[in-house]
Amino acid sequence: MLSRKPTSILFVVLLLVIAASVLDLQLGTESLDSAALYHRRPKHDYEPDYWTWETTTRFKQPDTRSRFTISDDVICDSFPTNLLSRVQVVLKIGSSEAKDRLETQLATVTRCISNLLIVSDRESELNGHHVYDILGTLPASFRNNTPDFDAYDAIQQGKTVDSAEGWRLDRFKFLPMVESAYEMNPTAQWFVFLESDTYYVWDNLFRLLDQFNPSVPLYFGSPTPGRWAGDQRTFFAYGGAGFVLSAGAVERLVSRGTGSRGEYIDPSLSVRYEDVVKGDCCGDSVLGWALYDHGVKLSGMWPMFNPHPLHGIPFDNAYWCQPVISMHKTFLHDMEDLVKWENRRDRSTPLLYTDLFTHLKLGVLEQKSEWDNGDWGGFQEPPESPAHRSFDDCREACHEHAECLSYTYDFAGHCVFVRTMRLGSRKPHTPEVKLSAGWDVQKIKNWRANHRCEKPLWMKPSTTRIF
């Protein structure tokens, strides 16, 4: 017997190692019911905050020789429509939104989503899709002491409401939107939500979802500080950047007790949080709180879920080797260009931020008139600095400054430095404002040479790393 003890001990140790490995895998994929488990893990210097998964595209490789317009159906030839049997995509819109924005969204990002569910504040048809009045499912009590529903009544009468009224009404759509998505497709494994100005890189999103178990409660998105639960700050996923719920999360959220005859004895999700949504500004905040209340914490996946538009991305270490999953408020013409470019690119690897940088040709731009690349994240030298004397002085001062990679000069006498490589957007000259922007191409070239991507960095969930 003594001679067998070492073998037994080794066997037990082996079992413990295997169990620890399994546990580490579960925790590494965010527990998968809460970001909190990830944060409770002891952090060591050698622990990266990203995974280097070897992922595979679900798309067919497109014919790169083809040239097509955004209206051509060939754009969907490579799309993996078979995945839509387990992925329910929900587009939330409003009657006050610009028609061109809605049409661009349906012609680009959601063009190939055959099971697309569109929810709004009025029943209608849009480009061959039925649009559901999601607010019509709410009980009459929601109107009590809620002036925001005056806009809803006006919409039903065919009247036009302004964007501010539409925005205040929008918060009431989130909870019934989730309930209705589940009722319409209770067998879906994933529920993906977006707005009319959200851009999804579907290839990367599908690669991400392939790494997780949808039966576990999961909530993915770009983290935004929400309500306080005692002395603990909660977080919700910013709606404009899109967010994802697993079947496990949705089932836990909408679950209701039933009586002996199968009748519901508990109120619906929307009714349970009626007072909360009336007192909050934002529906995504309320949804995040409801999920937290049901034990589902946000797995914050910024910067992969990204609140920036394409032209506003501040390329740097945080936006470089990470896969791009979503963007918000991207220009309509950029959405069209992105879809066409995505359909021509080689999808053997995930689309990274460095690929977007190349697509924008930021490494070769030197300067643009009537342009502003410093309206986010800019900083200035003291007023007496010679940088403020002229555009040329601003350029030279940026070149000499260790942290400046691009700049904007206001001809009223203000030089703004930018630490990142950001495209920015056109700002036509007016009598009050005259701007020009520039990029230090040599410094950008040097930066890129020192920041090469060996592998995609799939960021682990975090609510300390936020936008």
Side-chain angles (χ1 to χ4, degrees), residues 139-207:
S141 59
F142 272 77
R143 299 171 178 270
N144 298 338
N145 303 314
T146 314
D148 294 332
F149 269 86
D150 292 344
Y152 176 73
D153 294 334
I155 290 169
Q156 306 317 303
Q157 297 167 15
K159 298 179 181 178
T160 301
V161 300
D162 62 36
S163 58
E165 292 175 297
W167 184 83
R168 289 193 297 270
L169 193 61
D170 185 75
R171 72 185 190 274
F172 294 98
K173 299 173 187 173
F174 281 78
L175 297 184
M177 169 179 74
V178 175
E179 290 181 292
S180 293
Y182 180 72
E183 289 174 4
M184 292 184 180
N185 193 356
T187 63
Q189 296 178 351
W190 298 100
F191 294 85
V192 178
F193 299 87
L194 73 160
E195 301 182 359
S196 62
D197 54 1
T198 308
Y199 188 94
Y200 268 121
V201 178
W202 295 110
D203 182 30
N204 284 354
L205 178 62
F206 295 152
R207 290 173 189 255

Side-chain angles (χ1 to χ4, degrees), residues 16-232:
L16 290 174
V17 169
I18 294 172
S21 298
V22 172
L23 179 61
D24 184 67
L25 175 62
Q26 290 176 335
L27 291 176
T29 50
E30 197 51 24
S31 83
L32 300 174
D33 67 340
S34 168
L37 284 182
Y38 172 73
H39 296 312
R40 286 201 295 267
R41 296 181 70 197
K43 292 294 291 181
H44 304 293
D45 290 341
Y46 60 83
E47 280 192 10
D49 60 351
Y50 53 83
W51 294 292
T52 54
W53 293 320
E54 294 290 339
T55 61
T56 303
T57 184
R58 296 302 194 99
F59 280 70
K60 301 172 186 175
Q61 288 299 327
D63 180 1
T64 56
R65 297 169 299 174
S66 63
R67 291 291 180 267
F68 53 84
T69 65
I70 205 66
S71 61
D72 290 336
D73 288 334
V74 70
I75 204 169
C76 295
D77 286 350
S78 63
F79 193 92
T81 53
N82 60 301
L83 293 185
L84 298 178
S85 62
R86 64 184 184 91
V87 179
Q88 179 60 59
V89 180
V90 183
L91 172 62
K92 178 178 65 64
I93 65 173
S95 298
S96 62
E97 295 188 63
K99 185 178 179 181
D100 61 343
R101 191 164 83 178
L102 299 176
E103 291 181 343
T104 299
Q105 168 62 234
L106 293 173
T108 57
V109 183
T110 50
R111 180 178 183 83
C112 308
I113 308 299
S114 55
N115 66 340
L116 183 65
L117 171 60
I118 306 179
V119 299
S120 185
D121 41 36
R122 185 182 183 186
E123 205 88 4
S124 64
E125 299 291 325
L126 183 61
N127 290 23
H129 295 276
H130 185 74
V131 180
Y132 293 87
D133 174 12
I134 200 67
L135 298 182
T137 66
L138 297 174
S141 59
F142 272 77
R143 299 171 178 270
N144 298 338
N145 303 314
T146 314
D148 294 332
F149 269 86
D150 292 344
Y152 176 73
D153 294 334
I155 290 169
Q156 306 317 303
Q157 297 167 15
K159 298 179 181 178
T160 301
V161 300
D162 62 36
S163 58
E165 292 175 297
W167 184 83
R168 289 193 297 270
L169 193 61
D170 185 75
R171 72 185 190 274
F172 294 98
K173 299 173 187 173
F174 281 78
L175 297 184
M177 169 179 74
V178 175
E179 290 181 292
S180 293
Y182 180 72
E183 289 174 4
M184 292 184 180
N185 193 356
T187 63
Q189 296 178 351
W190 298 100
F191 294 85
V192 178
F193 299 87
L194 73 160
E195 301 182 359
S196 62
D197 54 1
T198 308
Y199 188 94
Y200 268 121
V201 178
W202 295 110
D203 182 30
N204 284 354
L205 178 62
F206 295 152
R207 290 173 189 255
L208 176 75
L209 298 184
D210 278 344
Q211 313 307 314
F212 293 92
N213 182 354
S215 65
V216 178
L218 291 167
Y219 174 31
F220 297 148
S222 181
T224 303
R227 292 167 167 261
W228 287 92
D231 60 353
Q232 182 180 8

Side-chain angles (χ1 to χ4, degrees), residues 431-463:
E432 296 79 22
V433 180
K434 183 180 179 183
L435 303 174
S436 288
W439 297 263
D440 194 317
V441 174
Q442 186 57 52
K443 287 170 73 175
I444 290 174
K445 180 180 179 180
N446 295 340
W447 190 95
R448 292 185 69 186
N450 293 315
H451 294 79
R452 300 190 182 278
C453 299
E454 296 181 2
K455 292 183 178 181
L457 307 183
W458 296 90
M459 304 307 294
K460 293 179 180 178
S462 171
T463 52

